[in-house]
Amino acid sequence: MYSFYKLIFGGVRFLLIEKKEIARNQYLVKFQCNNIDYANANDISIQMESILDNRQIDRIMFDLSNVEFIGSSGLLLFLNAKRKLETKNGKFAIINVKQELIQTLTTFNIPELMKSFKIFDNFKEAEKFLNE
């Protein structure tokens, strides 16, 4: 069963992330927005905090299949998630990153930062990493 997090803006509901339990204490978080940047980072952060603050959740897989752009505010969200999960001896993986997004991050000399994130091409690879 999916748990939906919505932002109400001007009477229109925007689905920013979906959360789905895929195993005990392990969740898939799928971003429904095209951009993760200053415009929506605060709202996404609030939604992610409710997931990260749950003591039972220690492994998260972030699905970026819908994401076309990540700004510095978006990268900070992932750094904060990494830090919070590490305090619980947890970890996270990122899946389905579009090649164009990787190229953009590489262009802006972000590869060192990206090395701190575990990025996988598909669900199965990420699941194996999370269960090690």
Side-chain angles (χ1 to χ4, degrees), residues 89-101:
N89 293 320
K91 53 188 173 178
F92 78 88
I94 299 174
I95 61 170
N96 299 326
V97 181
K98 294 180 180 176
Q99 190 60 39
E100 297 83 14
L101 180 57

Side-chain angles (χ1 to χ4, degrees), residues 38-51:
Y38 70 91
N40 61 8
N42 188 52
D43 297 315
I44 292 171
S45 176
I46 291 168
Q47 295 169 14
M48 283 178 54
E49 291 299 317
S50 69
I51 298 165

Side-chain angles (χ1 to χ4, degrees), residues 61-77:
M61 192 180 309
F62 292 108
D63 183 343
L64 302 185
S65 57
N66 294 324
V67 178
E68 296 175 8
F69 175 80
I70 298 177
S72 58
S73 299
L75 291 173
L76 187 59
L77 290 174

Side-chain angles (χ1 to χ4, degrees), residues 1-7 13-21 27-32 47 50-51:
M1 183 160 121
Y2 280 98
S3 181
F4 297 101
Y5 294 86
K6 296 182 181 179
L7 166 70
R13 292 175 182 240
F14 293 97
L15 178 64
L16 296 177
I17 63 174
E18 300 178 21
K19 175 184 81 167
K20 179 182 179 184
E21 186 171 18
Y27 280 77
L28 172 67
V29 174
K30 184 171 184 175
F31 289 85
Q32 296 300 320
Q47 295 169 14
S50 69
I51 298 165

Side-chain angles (χ1 to χ4, degrees), residues 69-70 102-111:
F69 175 80
I70 298 177
I102 291 173
Q103 289 172 346
T104 301
L105 294 172
T106 302
T107 301
F108 290 105
N109 207 15
I110 312 279

